[in-house]
């Protein structure tokens, strides 16, 4: 849950905490450079654009740009009112969210699962994001040169989370979350994702059936790591939407072009 020490971005985190390493190095090959970073134990939640290669081949480049911005804005809009302790990092075609006891998360893995549930249960645009979760030591730090510094995050959990996200299970599901078997630790799905309850005007208090299912342990081959035992939680309730994000991206691009805001270079 969010605390007074919650940070919205990696840069916020770095500017607000004592750094693990803060030195200047004089290297014979590279010259002088700074190393400034914060190392901590935590959970990495990777949420990526599914089928990015296909989208890039089938859509106009500007349509892909529109689609990806829709995807990133969709995530931020869903989570802006929620109360989870996290920092976020935008990379290429994904968002990485970091949860840690170091900055207030009581159960980082559970928080990552709850965020994943929100995304999976509110996917009206049909993004069907690739979701993976992994734990371990990460370091957030500044990279670049005196002219321009950016913030980056490094560590095995990021690579594993991205790898798990790419290993979606087979099946006609609306959303899935993949994580290491050892992270589950015998938890109860009904406690992790309790059924939604609400008051019906005629039936009184009603409990919706559980929309998520916990899969059996399976082995996946992660490049550079080898076989890893993973589990999945999948949601089989599909949105019955009149359109999709892919169609909307095409429609927006068509409108932009018709209004004269698209000027193709010749």
């Amino acid at each position: 849950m969010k605390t007074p020490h919650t940070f919205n971005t990696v840069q916020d985190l770095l500017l607000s905490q004592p750094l693990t390493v803060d030195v200047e190095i004089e290297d014979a090959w590279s010259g002088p450079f700074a190393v400034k970073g914060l190392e901590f134990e935590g959970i990495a939640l990777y949420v990526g654009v599914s089928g990015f290669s296909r989208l890039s081949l089938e859509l106009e480049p500007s349509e892909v740009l529109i689609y990806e911005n829709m995807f990133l804005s969709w995530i931020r809009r869903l989570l802006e009112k929620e109360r989870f302790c996290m920092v976020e990092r935008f990379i290429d075609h994904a968002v990485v969210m970091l949860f840690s006891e170091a900055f207030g998360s009581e159960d980082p893995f559970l928080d990552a699962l709850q965020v994943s549930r929100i995304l999976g249960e509110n996917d009206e645009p049909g993004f069907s994001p690739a979701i993976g979760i992994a734990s371990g030591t990460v370091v957030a730090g500044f990279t670049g040169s005196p002219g321009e510094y950016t913030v980056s995050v490094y560590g095995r959990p990021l690579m594993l989370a991205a790898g798990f996200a790419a290993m979606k299970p087979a099946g006609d599901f609306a959303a899935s979350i993949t994580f290491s078997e050892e992270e589950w630790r015998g938890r109860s799905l009904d406690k992790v994702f309790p059924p939604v309850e609400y008051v019906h005007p005629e039936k009184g208090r009603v409990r919706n059936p559980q929309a998520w299912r916990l899969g059996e342990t399976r082995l996946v081959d992660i490049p550079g790591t080898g076989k890893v035992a993973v589990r999945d939680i999948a949601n089989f309730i599909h949105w019955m939407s009149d359109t999709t994000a892919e169609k909307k991206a095409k429609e927006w691009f068509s409108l932009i072009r018709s209004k004269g805001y698209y000027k193709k270079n010749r």
Side-chain angles (χ1 to χ4, degrees):
M1 300 295 288
K2 283 202 172 186
T3 72
H5 305 292
T6 294
F7 311 97
N8 293 322
T9 67
V10 178
Q11 184 165 337
D12 292 337
L13 175 67
L14 291 174
L15 294 177
S16 305
Q17 296 290 294
L19 300 180
T20 307
V21 57
D22 187 356
V23 299
E24 296 281 341
I25 292 178
E26 184 73 40
D27 183 73
W29 289 344
S30 304
F33 60 90
V35 180
K36 300 175 181 290
L38 175 66
E39 190 174 280
F40 56 89
E41 298 294 317
I43 290 283
L45 167 60
Y46 178 97
V47 183
V49 174
S50 292
F52 185 80
S53 297
R54 179 190 65 80
L55 292 170
S56 297
L57 291 172
E58 296 180 1
L59 300 183
E60 295 288 337
S62 293
E63 291 173 343
V64 178
L65 176 65
I66 293 170
Y67 184 96
E68 182 154 338
N69 276 288
M70 288 174 63
F71 176 76
L72 299 177
S73 296
W74 168 74
I75 292 177
R76 177 160 286 176
R77 184 178 182 185
L78 281 179
L79 299 181
E80 64 184 0
K81 294 181 181 180
E82 299 297 335
R83 298 186 58 79
F84 294 98
C85 186
M86 73 179 85
V87 296
E88 63 186 29
R89 164 99 167 97
F90 293 95
I91 56 171
D92 294 334
H93 320 301
V95 178
V96 173
M97 295 175 233
L98 304 168
F99 304 80
S100 175
E101 293 179 0
F103 40 87
S105 187
E106 294 181 3
D107 188 335
F109 179 63
L110 181 59
D111 281 352
L113 285 176
Q114 296 300 334
V115 167
S116 302
R117 180 184 189 177
I118 291 169
L119 300 179
E121 292 183 354
N122 294 275
D123 189 15
E124 185 176 3
F127 287 114
S128 188
I131 301 177
I133 300 173
S135 68
T137 304
V138 299
V139 63
F142 293 99
T143 58
S145 63
E148 181 180 2
Y149 283 104
T150 59
V151 292
S152 299
V153 182
Y154 302 95
R156 192 168 184 267
L158 274 76
M159 299 302 101
L160 285 177
F164 293 160
M167 300 292 179
K168 282 188 174 184
D172 182 28
F173 49 82
S176 68
I177 310 161
T178 303
F179 47 86
S180 171
E181 158 69 20
E182 64 182 359
E183 296 293 345
W184 187 246
R185 298 175 185 172
R187 297 173 190 251
S188 164
L189 180 62
D190 284 336
K191 290 184 178 180
V192 171
F193 286 2
V196 176
E197 295 186 359
Y198 63 95
V199 177
H200 189 277
E202 298 177 357
K203 300 179 181 180
R205 182 167 293 279
V206 176
R207 170 179 286 198
N208 280 348
Q210 177 61 266
W212 296 85
R213 298 289 182 268
L214 176 65
E216 297 296 328
T217 301
R218 60 190 179 96
L219 291 177
V220 299
D221 194 0
I222 304 296
T225 298
K227 298 289 186 180
V228 179
V230 301
R231 299 195 77 169
D232 314 279
I233 301 178
N235 181 354
F236 292 85
I237 306 299
H238 293 266
W239 277 85
M240 303 302 291
S241 179
D242 295 331
T243 187
T244 64
E246 189 171 337
K247 291 179 180 178
K248 289 283 287 184
K250 293 179 180 180
E251 292 171 0
W252 277 116
F253 179 59
S254 178
L255 180 62
I256 289 169
R257 188 161 46 187
S258 69
K259 296 292 185 180
Y261 296 117
Y262 173 75
K263 299 177 177 65
K264 188 175 180 66
N265 293 328
R266 299 184 182 277

